[in-house]
Amino acid sequence: MGQRGRHAAPRAGMRRVRRVATVVLAAGALASAGTSAAFADMLEDIPLSGEQNIDQVGAQNLACGNSARLVRLNVAQTEHRDRVCTDDDGHTGHNSAHTGGARAEGGTALGPQANTAQTGKQNLACGNSADLVTVNVTGDMYWDTTCVVTDDGHHHHGGHQQGAHAEGARAVGGTSVGPQANTAQTGRQNLYCGNSADALTVNVMGTISKQTRCAAADHSSHGSGDTDHGRASVLPGQAAGPEVNAAQNGNQNQTCGNPGTGLDVPLGRTTRQTSCTVHAGA
């Protein structure tokens, strides 16, 4: 992070804590007044989402159930977020003309930012979170993300990727007020699932449950020697909050369930479970 980022982060952190304290007090007052539903409806009309930039090229690359929010507030309600992504035919994203590989470049965002570039075969980026502030007061939040890709070799098209992606995958971070997650994956069966770059989670007498399952299975008998001659690279950005950068090359690299460097205030029940599985046949 540059000189500007180092000086801005502590001041931004102090302001963020003060804002969150105000949000918690306001949430408690709303809950006691019985107006939580109306307040939650009002929040839905405010642009609180961050920025997510995704570029995927190749076969069976999934970016599923990821979250990048400026503020997520739940007061005395039950919230379910179920995301299921599956691919079992091997047709996804075959584009031999995309010779520049995959490139996701961040911009300037008032809020969190997630930039994901994937090229190759069976690369999953699922159930990752880069929320700035999550406040749950006497409510229940259940997030369930499932990503499954299977290649049985029945839909072979002369070699996955046909050697077209010489530049691999590249994720370039931007400038954001909030957390930032930059992920680049190239190759075969690389999983980046259930990771967190959240800045602050406050759970007051409620339940937060996050479950992420990623599975990649390649039962084809076709070799992958011509797949993705390029490399995966990540260029960090500037973020006033936690920043997670991951570059994965090759076969069967897994980064799963890392909690990040954010702050948890667990005055309720908070659970996070992540399962990543890869299986190569021939």
Side-chain angles (χ1 to χ4, degrees):
M1 185 179 292
Q3 190 73 16
R4 177 182 176 185
R6 284 197 299 268
H7 289 295
R11 293 197 296 270
M14 294 176 63
R15 289 196 297 270
R16 189 161 62 238
V17 170
R18 286 197 293 269
R19 286 198 299 270
V20 170
T22 303
V23 170
V24 172
L25 291 175
L30 286 165
S32 62
T35 60
S36 60
F39 187 67
D41 291 340
M42 182 186 71
L43 282 179
E44 291 299 321
D45 297 329
I46 302 175
L48 298 176
S49 293
E51 181 177 300
Q52 297 193 59
N53 303 304
I54 301 172
D55 189 12
Q56 300 182 123
V57 172
Q60 299 183 324
N61 296 309
L62 304 182
C64 179
N66 302 310
S67 178
R69 294 273 294 185
L70 184 63
V71 177
R72 186 177 297 278
L73 175 62
N74 182 37
V75 181
Q77 296 192 84
T78 299
E79 175 184 336
H80 286 274
R81 295 180 68 243
D82 297 325
R83 300 289 185 272
V84 178
C85 292
T86 61
D87 185 351
D88 59 5
D89 64 4
H91 283 105
T92 300
H94 285 266
N95 184 358
S96 58
H98 196 74
T99 56
R103 180 183 177 94
E105 185 170 348
T108 301
L110 180 61
Q113 191 171 130
N115 306 303
T116 304
Q118 297 183 129
T119 186
K121 184 179 181 181
Q122 296 185 332
N123 296 309
L124 309 183
C126 300
N128 304 305
S129 181
D131 296 338
L132 179 61
V133 177
T134 298
V135 178
N136 181 42
V137 181
T138 66
D140 297 313
M141 304 174 70
Y142 300 99
W143 297 1
D144 196 344
T145 303
T146 301
C147 287
V148 178
V149 296
T150 305
D151 184 5
D152 57 12
H154 292 165
H155 303 283
H156 185 59
H157 296 279
H160 289 281
Q161 304 303 107
Q162 303 171 0
H165 305 288
E167 295 185 17
R170 179 174 173 84
V172 180
T175 301
S176 61
V177 179
Q180 191 170 135
N182 305 305
T183 307
Q185 295 176 320
T186 188
R188 184 180 180 189
Q189 294 183 324
N190 296 309
L191 309 185
Y192 186 81
C193 301
N195 302 298
S196 174
D198 295 348
L200 178 61
T201 300
V202 180
N203 185 20
V204 182
M205 293 187 295
T207 299
I208 298 178
S209 177
K210 297 183 179 181
Q211 293 188 349
T212 305
R213 290 175 293 274
C214 289
D218 181 11
H219 302 297
S220 66
S221 58
H222 308 287
S224 59
D226 60 339
T227 301
D228 298 305
H229 300 291
R231 300 281 295 175
S233 63
V234 172
L235 180 64
Q238 293 188 351
E243 184 170 3
V244 177
N245 303 300
Q248 294 179 319
N249 291 284
N251 297 343
Q252 298 185 337
N253 298 308
Q254 301 184 45
T255 302
C256 299
N258 294 317
T261 58
L263 178 63
D264 255 342
V265 183
L267 304 177
R269 181 182 179 186
T270 301
T271 59
R272 297 179 178 89
Q273 296 180 336
T274 303
S275 173
C276 290
T277 304
V278 295
H279 175 73

